Amino acid sequence: MQLYLVDGARLRELRERVGLSPEELSRIVGRGPTWITELERQSRTYVLEILVQKLVAALGVRISDLSAHPDPPAPPAEPEDLRVSPGSLRALRERAGLSPEELERRAGLAPGSVARAEEADEGDEILASVETIWRLARALDASPTHLVARRGGFFSKPS
């Protein structure tokens, strides 16, 4: 699984250049209607290769065009685990109308893992791989950035 660093402002500029609304581009890429808007609000964020390929096809650009920097840093070969926000996980699950068990089934997670994560205090260290965060996000029809605990405006990595 390859990740690419996408610049939100650059994505907005390219989208506007081809005359697509955020909702239209989200639909073309096969994501929820607010996905592009959420990406555009991020200064820089990692996006899965399959989604980047859909973006560049829809926008008629190269992958490197999605970054404001000519040579964005390569994503790590094996991304580090990130901290998950228990409160965000619970809120997104409830908004989707799913039980913890149904979310685990849809995301292909071990039984009891969602309930254990949600029971944790917001300051507790709940770690998940990028793949797990993406599975949860897909099952919840939400941006993965909404699941990751933030500190100082950046994704929170383990200490």
Side-chain angles (χ1 to χ4, degrees):
M1 170 176 69
Q2 178 72 37
L3 296 172
Y4 288 93
L5 193 60
V6 173
D7 181 273
R10 182 75 175 131
L11 175 60
R12 181 181 309 112
E13 176 185 318
L14 294 168
R15 176 187 56 76
E16 289 173 347
R17 185 181 302 165
V18 297
L20 291 172
S21 71
E23 295 79 14
E24 290 169 322
L25 186 54
S26 291
R27 184 181 46 75
I28 290 169
V29 174
R31 304 300 301 161
T34 62
W35 189 69
I36 293 295
T37 301
E38 292 167 9
L39 276 181
E40 289 177 352
R41 288 182 182 151
Q42 301 291 321
S43 59
R44 294 184 343 172
T45 190
Y46 285 109
V47 177
L48 285 173
E49 179 179 22
I50 191 165
L51 298 173
V52 169
Q53 293 293 347
K54 291 178 181 183
L55 284 170
V56 298
L59 298 171
V61 298
R62 298 180 316 258
I63 290 175
S64 60
D65 294 328
L66 289 174
S67 175
H69 306 282
D71 296 311
E78 293 187 29
E80 297 180 33
D81 288 346
L82 298 172
R83 285 190 177 98
V84 174
S85 166
S88 296
L89 176 60
R90 184 179 308 104
L92 289 167
R93 180 186 55 76
E94 290 173 351
R95 185 185 77 188
L98 300 175
S99 67
E101 297 78 16
E102 178 62 14
L103 177 55
E104 290 161 353
R105 188 187 66 71
R106 289 185 183 190
L109 301 177
S113 56
V114 170
R116 281 191 304 277
E118 288 182 356
E119 290 169 0
D121 290 328
E122 203 60 41
D124 288 348
E125 189 167 270
I126 306 298
L127 301 178
S129 68
V130 171
E131 180 182 349
T132 298
I133 291 170
W134 273 95
R135 291 157 118 200
L136 285 165
R138 278 194 303 266
L140 293 165
D141 192 28
S143 169
T145 60
H146 291 165
L147 290 166
V148 179
R150 296 171 191 262
R151 201 178 340 182
F154 296 99
F155 290 137
S156 180
K157 294 185 178 180
S159 308

